[in-house]
Amino acid sequence: MIFYFSGCGNSKHVAETIATGLNDSLIFIPEAAREGRYEYELAEGERLGFVFPIYAWGPPKLVIDFVKKLTVKVPEPVEGPTLKPYIYFACTCGDESGLAEKVMRKALARKGWSLSACFSVQMPETFIGLPGFKLDTEENVKRKHANADAKLKRNIPRLANKEHFSEMVKGGAAWMKTYMIHPGFSRLATSDKPYHSTDACIHCGKCVEACPLKNITLEDGHPKWNGNCTMCMSCYHHCPVNAIQYGKATVGKGQYYFGRR
């Protein structure tokens, strides 16, 4: 069983690849949260996995909030003590994951669970909502995709065998980034107020469809953001005519989502 969140498709690709390799089921976190589905039961020997992107060197708040409410029943063995589930996570990041492992271990420990394995997967950048942030070059996109698939090919058998391992790219100044910058980002930099559509908008509604949190509606054919944003920037990247902008920060920066041609 794999719980995942993805805005622009990087983490979805990782989650789907792992699910195929392990023959596991996928559950989309925003959809489960909207429907209030927090109670699950593992089959005997089934793994419990999480896949999500890194936002400002930490897990997205919506992922941690979901974990807090999540209840997973583990089947009782016929003999011997109750077996704890094999729990892992895979996270996607542009370059570094900070101390995301420590954050997830703490969130799981609060529920009496322990993390068995984790690894980060470098994927193309998607966040360009602040000055100085930009997308990867086409060359870097191809390189990251190839390296990501190689890492997944190497680590999926390790998950299948229920190995215990940690393979994270923490980066420098990780404590400061995860425990100082990340909370500030979650609190101050996820407002959807700067989003707007330009005159190039063709009123197609693709942004409504692309938003994983269902935060966008159309008014007079133009998108309206309704205050429940995680800053995945899926609406911006999926607009077929690049008519969505985030203030002036995104102007001229291009678009990317996994599978875009």
Side-chain angles (χ1 to χ4, degrees):
M1 185 179 297
I2 301 172
F3 296 95
Y4 80 99
F5 168 62
S6 181
C8 294
N10 286 335
S11 294
K12 182 180 180 182
H13 170 68
V14 170
E16 289 178 340
T17 303
I18 295 174
T20 298
L22 299 179
N23 194 29
D24 273 349
S25 58
L26 282 173
I27 298 165
F28 190 44
I29 289 175
E31 184 178 322
R34 278 194 300 272
E35 298 175 358
R37 292 188 283 115
Y38 295 104
E39 296 183 4
Y40 299 85
E41 182 172 356
L42 293 179
E44 186 175 353
E46 186 176 7
R47 304 161 196 81
L48 176 59
F50 300 90
V51 179
F52 52 84
I54 292 296
Y55 286 175
W57 300 282
K61 182 177 181 296
L62 69 86
V63 172
I64 296 300
D65 288 345
F66 184 80
V67 170
K68 288 178 181 178
K69 297 179 181 179
L70 184 63
T71 299
V72 178
K73 185 178 180 181
V74 181
E76 294 285 342
V78 177
E79 296 180 1
T82 301
L83 298 176
K84 291 186 177 181
Y86 178 86
I87 302 176
Y88 69 90
F89 78 80
C91 60
T92 59
C93 57
D95 292 298
E96 304 167 352
S97 58
L99 298 181
E101 176 183 350
K102 191 171 183 179
V103 174
M104 280 296 288
R105 283 189 182 278
K106 186 175 181 180
L108 294 171
R110 291 194 187 102
K111 308 185 74 64
W113 299 343
S114 58
L115 185 68
S116 304
C118 61
F119 62 99
S120 58
V121 182
Q122 291 180 330
M123 290 289 276
E125 295 281 1
T126 60
F127 178 74
I128 52 172
L130 289 172
F133 287 78
K134 59 184 180 180
L135 298 181
D136 284 299
T137 64
E138 283 298 318
E139 181 181 355
N140 280 342
V141 168
K142 293 178 181 178
R143 176 181 58 82
K144 285 184 175 182
H145 282 171
N147 290 343
D149 287 342
K151 176 171 278 193
L152 288 168
K153 185 177 181 179
R154 182 174 69 251
N155 281 342
I156 287 174
R158 301 173 76 183
L159 299 178
N161 293 330
K162 296 186 177 180
E163 294 182 21
H164 288 246
F165 67 95
S166 173
E167 195 176 277
M168 304 288 287
V169 180
K170 297 178 182 178
W175 189 94
M176 180 187 72
K177 290 173 178 175
T178 298
Y179 291 109
M180 296 181 71
I181 297 177
H182 176 74
F185 174 87
S186 300
R187 187 173 62 255
L188 304 173
T190 56
S191 171
D192 60 12
K193 290 182 179 179
Y195 276 116
H196 64 279
S197 60
T198 68
D199 292 339
C201 178
I202 58 174
H203 322 297
C204 66
K206 184 66 176 179
C207 52
V208 176
E209 177 186 337
C211 179
L213 299 189
K214 306 301 180 186
N215 180 49
I216 304 173
T217 53
L218 291 184
E219 289 195 359
D220 297 323
H222 287 274
K224 176 188 176 184
W225 288 262
N226 294 292
N228 181 32
C229 184
T230 190
M231 273 304 284
C232 70
M233 305 203 75
S234 180
C235 58
Y236 166 86
H237 289 293
H238 281 87
C239 178
V241 292
N242 205 186
I244 291 175
Q245 301 295 335
Y246 191 75
K248 296 181 179 180
T250 54
V251 175
K253 288 186 176 180
Q255 295 168 289
Y256 164 85
Y257 58 84
F258 189 87
R260 186 173 188 265
R261 294 291 182 266

